[in-house]
Amino acid sequence: MNQKNPRRNRQTFGGFFLLILVGVFLLFVFRFSYIVISGQVNNENLSQKASALYQNSTVLRAKRGTIYDASGTAIAEDSTTYSLYAILDKNHVGTNGKKLYVTDKAKTARVLSHYLPLSRQNILKRLNPKNPNTFQVEFGAAGKGLSLSIKQAIDKANLKGIYFNETPARLYPNGIFASHQVGLAQLQNHDEKTSAEAQNLTGIMGLEKTFNSSLRGVNGSKKIKKDSYGYQLPNTKAKEKAAKNGNNLYLTLDTRLQTYLETLMSNAQTKYQPKQLNAVLMNPKTGQILAASQRPTFNPQTGSGLGNFWRDTLVADAYEPGSVMKVFTLAAAIDAGKYQPNTTYASGQIRVGGTTIHDWNKTGWGTIPFSEAFARSSNVGFVHIQQLMGQAKWLHYIKKFKFMQKTNSMLPGEVSGSLQYQHASDQAITAFGQGINVNTMQMMQGFSAIANNGKEMKPQIVAKMTDPNTGKTTNYQPRSVGKPISQDTAEQVRQAMEDVVYKKYGTGRVYAIPGYKIAAKTGTAEISHANGGGYLAGRNNYIFSVVGMAPADDPKYVLYITMKQPQNMTKEASVILSEIFNPLMKRALDYEQSNATTTTQAQMPNVTGKTVSDATAALKQKQLTPIQIGTGNTVVQQMPVKNEVVLDHQRVLLLTNGGMTMPDVTGWSKSDILKLAELTGKNITTKGTGYATKQSLPAKSLLNSAKSITVTLSKPK
């Protein structure tokens, strides 16, 4: 039938086709109307897209606030580092045909070898990759973290195809310097929409974390209208919102004492290898922390050691303090009127609640007066003293000294501690520092009451904060948190602490310092099994400690040191701790009297970019020992870094351009070996203890010639 009516078929097809055209037209009208009304296509704003073509917005990055020590010297400040890369693609040209890729590889390699710790041959190899279609190449760790001076020197050479990425960074010029307390600020992961210039540093540890919102500041912006070439349109004004820089923080740390403490701590860590080592020096009149350190630690400038230990053990670790707790037990008994110094007791052991408690000298000293119990550190004597007080009265004083409460010293991650006090045996062992868990800052707070005639001071590490935008200063004043004991009680306790040092039966005679009167108390605390089943056995499985106050009659300083499980315990624990306690306390006391000290300190000069001969001369003039690492004649990196505090005859590692070479490390300490590994990025391990006597890679050999290097350490004979 269709064949009989071709005209009708044409009419039907034409009508159907017309309907399709009308439908498409209506769909177009509807779509166009929707775009006009909504201003969006595929969920993208057309107005914003059009505006972006003619408007340029630049982030004005806020400067993160600087952290200063007590004297106003910067210990953490904003910086910028640069990463180097090379464009190799020959299609990468400008609009005017200008070549934007590397054109002279030989010259590029020669120039870069003067500023990077890479040989010319190594750089040439990177500039000639196996894949001919490689768009760009980087230079690994050697091309990252470059300083502004190195970037400017490379820029002056006008090398085609060489570019830099700019990265905000944090400069810690002192290296290891109260690292866990000062903290760390780093770039955090950002989504792909966040531009590089909009990224800000974030505090992830220590005071950098506590005060992050105050330190980081607020970014600003600058907006201009531009033409198709990116230039600002005539007769238009830029809209600018100024950045608000972060606040500056001033700490109570004394750089001279802090740096000396770090040196002493590193020496002890190298020689005796404790699992943990803590030390805090405080002014008990104000509660201000003058120096604080821990081991393990890390170098915030290089990142070395950061992955091993993140906790600030001064506040984040709770531990049983051992016999230094007897300072508070004695103070409580005297203050409560329950101390009977002339009454005698049988030392050696005592039975409490079905548990036998021994003195550290298990046979005891026979029948002795309570007046000798403190200096001899008699556990049995202090059980008797606690029983004379009664469990309620002793608990009352534990709370008055603020144990089981956070000190809120502004260091993040603080724990409250705990107390096991249900049974008579639990109550008894708290008298000598077992069954009670504290943190180091709680102990420092309690010690301040003994040193400060009964007035207990909150530990303070931040002195003030200033706002550079308004000039406003926020001062953090010393704060008393109570008066748990009387002045007379505090004086009696300090007298007992003098007996520890100066009586022939005292346990702390090694802590005597000629010319000064020292009050001290020693401690040896057992360490609980991880599963809670009793205590660890073994000569070194203890937390050894000492607290000292000086001058004893009116203390200006309190120094508290704890050492956990020294793995190379070649000396008595008290002798090991005295190697930190005595020199640091003496230096603090000498400093108080404005006397010269035997070891001078100076700031590390900036020798990066200088010739080796000029750098060597400058370092020797500062009484420092330069060590060249590399075949070149220009210093490209140094350790310690600029402005770090250094001591006389300290080794300074100078990384030069050209191939890296192995120095003669004979006589180096383990810490020096670790610095060499940090600076070169090579796998260098140590074997044994003491000082370097043998190295698997001979001196002056290229470091790239060995995958790993072993240095053998031996103790001096």
Side-chain angles (χ1 to χ4, degrees):
M1 183 176 182
N2 290 338
Q3 292 177 354
K4 294 179 181 179
N5 298 287
R7 184 174 181 180
R8 176 180 290 182
N9 290 342
R10 285 192 296 271
Q11 289 176 341
T12 301
F13 177 77
F16 180 72
F17 184 71
L18 180 63
L19 285 174
I20 292 175
L21 289 176
V22 171
V24 171
F25 178 74
L26 291 175
L27 182 63
F28 175 78
V29 170
F30 176 78
R31 178 64 171 167
F32 182 76
S33 299
Y34 171 79
I35 292 172
V36 171
I37 295 170
S38 68
Q40 291 188 343
V41 174
N42 297 328
N43 294 321
E44 295 206 24
N45 191 300
L46 294 179
S47 297
Q48 292 179 355
K49 284 280 188 181
S51 176
L53 292 174
Y54 302 102
Q55 184 170 289
N56 182 62
S57 180
T58 304
V59 173
L60 303 177
R61 186 186 295 128
K63 178 184 177 184
R64 187 175 179 85
T66 301
I67 301 178
Y68 298 94
D69 73 348
S71 67
T73 301
I75 55 180
E77 57 187 325
D78 249 15
S79 179
T80 300
T81 61
Y82 301 88
S83 298
L84 177 72
Y85 66 97
I87 301 293
L88 303 180
D89 188 353
K90 294 183 179 180
N91 294 319
H92 191 61
V93 295
T95 54
N96 56 357
K98 181 180 179 181
K99 296 176 180 178
L100 302 177
Y101 56 89
V102 176
T103 56
D104 190 339
K105 295 181 179 179
K107 176 186 175 183
T108 301
R110 184 178 69 255
V111 172
L112 293 183
S113 69
H114 291 306
Y115 302 103
L116 303 182
L118 293 173
S119 65
R120 186 167 57 88
Q121 292 79 4
N122 193 320
I123 295 173
L124 268 176
K125 184 178 179 181
R126 292 172 183 264
L127 294 175
N128 291 285
K130 294 180 179 179
N131 184 355
N133 297 320
T134 300
F135 180 77
Q136 74 178 49
V137 295
E138 298 178 357
F139 298 88
K144 295 180 180 178
L146 302 180
S147 66
L148 177 61
S149 60
I150 293 293
K151 175 188 180 295
Q152 290 174 335
I154 295 174
D155 283 339
K156 285 182 181 179
N158 296 316
L159 300 175
K160 288 186 178 180
I162 295 299
Y163 303 95
F164 296 88
N165 285 321
E166 180 180 310
T167 305
R170 196 68 162 161
L171 177 64
Y172 298 91
N174 289 342
I176 296 175
F177 185 95
S179 300
H180 284 84
Q181 291 72 54
V182 173
L184 187 67
Q186 291 182 334
L187 282 177
Q188 298 298 285
N189 292 329
H190 291 262
D191 56 48
E192 294 180 357
K193 295 181 180 180
T194 304
S195 62
E197 64 270 16
Q199 297 182 19
N200 283 68
L201 297 165
T202 300
I204 60 174
M205 183 189 296
L207 296 171
E208 291 269 30
K209 179 179 180 179
T210 301
F211 288 90
N212 183 64
S213 60
S214 299
L215 288 166
R216 69 184 176 191
V218 180
N219 287 342
S221 62
K222 182 178 181 180
K223 296 180 179 180
I224 63 169
K225 291 185 177 181
K226 62 178 183 177
D227 59 20
S228 58
Y229 294 99
Y231 297 105
Q232 184 174 345
L233 293 173
N235 302 318
T236 62
K237 291 184 179 181
K239 294 181 179 180
E240 185 170 325
K241 180 181 178 182
K244 183 180 178 182
N245 292 332
N247 294 342
N248 299 320
L249 211 59
Y250 289 79
L251 308 187
T252 61
L253 297 177
D254 185 313
T255 290
R256 289 166 292 187
L257 296 173
Q258 180 67 44
T259 303
Y260 193 40
L261 174 59
E262 297 292 3
T263 300
L264 296 170
M265 295 278 280
S266 293
N267 290 341
Q269 177 73 15
T270 299
K271 290 165 67 176
Y272 307 112
Q273 300 172 25
K275 288 191 175 180
Q276 287 185 34
L277 185 65
N278 291 343
V280 181
L281 179 69
M282 180 178 74
N283 177 348
K285 308 295 185 186
T286 62
Q288 291 183 339
I289 304 301
L290 306 176
S293 186
Q294 71 179 62
R295 296 293 183 276
T297 189
F298 69 97
N299 187 325
Q301 187 60 36
T302 65
S304 175
L306 182 59
N308 299 331
F309 210 87
W310 280 75
R311 294 195 318 277
D312 179 352
T313 54
L314 302 185
V315 291
D317 279 15
Y319 61 95
E320 293 177 299
S323 289
V324 290
M325 190 73 186
K326 291 170 183 172
V327 169
F328 304 111
T329 314
L330 179 62
I334 294 173
D335 202 67
K338 300 297 184 180
Y339 181 55
Q340 302 173 8
N342 298 321
T343 301
T344 61
Y345 72 98
S347 64
Q349 65 180 42
I350 185 174
R351 189 86 173 163
V352 181
T355 301
T356 300
I357 296 172
H358 295 273
D359 279 320
W360 62 269
N361 175 10
K362 292 188 176 181
T363 60
W365 305 273
T367 299
I368 58 174
F370 283 116
S371 61
E372 294 185 14
F374 188 81
R376 294 184 186 274
S377 200
S378 170
N379 294 341
V380 173
F382 273 80
V383 170
H384 283 296
I385 291 171
Q386 182 270 328
Q387 290 176 335
L388 287 171
M389 271 193 293
Q391 62 90 13
K393 182 64 70 174
W394 173 220
L395 180 61
H396 171 70
Y397 276 94
I398 288 174
K399 292 179 179 179
K400 283 188 75 175
F401 276 110
K402 306 296 182 184
F403 292 111
M404 275 77 67
Q405 297 180 35
K406 295 180 181 180
T407 64
N408 297 315
S409 58
M410 299 183 179
L411 297 174
E414 184 174 8
V415 296
S416 300
S418 62
L419 178 67
Q420 186 176 324
Y421 209 72
Q422 293 181 334
H423 306 292
S425 58
D426 297 334
Q427 298 157 14
I429 64 175
T430 58
F432 53 87
Q434 302 284 168
I436 180 171
N437 284 280
V438 300
N439 69 54
T440 297
M441 284 303 177
Q442 288 174 333
M443 294 294 282
M444 295 304 298
Q445 182 170 269
F447 291 141
S448 72
I450 308 300
N452 196 31
N453 291 329
K455 188 177 181 181
E456 190 168 22
M457 303 301 295
K458 175 182 176 179
Q460 179 185 354
I461 197 168
V462 178
K464 65 180 179 180
M465 182 167 60
T466 62
D467 186 337
N469 306 287
T470 63
K472 179 183 177 182
T473 297
T474 302
N475 291 302
Y476 295 91
Q477 300 294 342
R479 179 186 165 197
S480 173
V481 294
K483 192 173 183 182
I485 56 174
S486 68
Q487 177 175 340
D488 180 65
T489 296
E491 290 174 350
Q492 289 188 57
V493 174
R494 294 201 303 271
Q495 181 60 58
M497 293 174 72
E498 286 187 52
D499 292 346
V500 173
V501 181
Y502 300 106
K503 293 291 187 182
K504 63 181 181 180
Y505 50 79
T507 58
R509 298 180 69 187
V510 71
Y511 299 109
I513 299 175
Y516 297 102
K517 185 69 77 171
I518 307 297
K521 182 68 190 81
T522 60
T524 305
E526 294 181 298
I527 301 173
S528 299
H529 278 285
N531 58 13
Y535 292 100
L536 298 175
R539 177 172 173 260
N540 68 331
N541 282 325
Y542 294 91
I543 295 176
F544 303 100
S545 59
V546 63
V547 59
M549 304 175 185
D553 58 341
D554 185 21
K556 302 293 192 300
Y557 302 100
V558 174
L559 176 56
Y560 179 44
I561 307 172
T562 63
M563 175 179 65
K564 182 179 181 180
Q565 295 172 292
Q567 301 302 293
N568 186 37
M569 195 171 173
T570 55
K571 299 177 183 177
E572 291 297 322
S574 59
V575 175
I576 295 174
L577 294 179
S578 73
E579 293 179 5
I580 300 174
F581 181 94
N582 293 31
L584 182 63
M585 182 64 88
K586 184 178 188 305
R587 175 157 295 186
L589 293 166
D590 287 345
Y591 172 61
E592 178 72 18
Q593 293 188 358
S594 300
N595 290 334
T597 55
T598 56
T599 304
T600 59
Q601 297 177 341
Q603 281 192 328
M604 178 68 195
N606 182 19
V607 296
T608 301
K610 292 186 176 182
T611 64
V612 172
S613 58
D614 287 346
T616 299
L619 294 174
K620 287 184 176 180
Q621 188 176 8
K622 292 277 190 179
Q623 303 298 314
L624 300 171
T625 304
I627 305 294
Q628 182 176 344
I629 304 168
T631 59
N633 56 8
T634 303
V635 178
V636 296
Q637 291 186 49
Q638 65 184 73
M639 185 179 285
V641 296
K642 179 183 70 172
N643 293 333
E644 183 173 339
V645 178
V646 289
L647 303 177
D648 277 355
H649 309 298
Q650 183 172 328
R651 289 187 181 89
V652 178
L653 307 184
L654 304 177
L655 189 61
T656 73
N657 55 316
M660 291 186 289
T661 53
M662 181 71 183
D664 182 355
V665 298
T666 302
W668 289 27
S669 67
K670 183 178 180 180
S671 60
D672 284 336
I673 302 296
L674 293 177
K675 289 178 182 177
L676 176 63
E678 289 176 26
L679 186 64
T680 61
K682 298 301 177 182
N683 181 19
I684 305 176
T685 58
T686 59
K687 182 172 65 175
T689 59
Y691 297 90
T693 56
K694 185 179 179 182
Q695 57 195 82
S696 63
L697 184 66
K700 298 184 180 179
S701 299
L702 289 174
L703 285 171
N704 290 332
S705 64
K707 291 184 179 180
S708 63
I709 302 165
T710 302
V711 176
T712 303
L713 308 177
S714 299
K715 301 173 188 175
K717 295 182 180 179

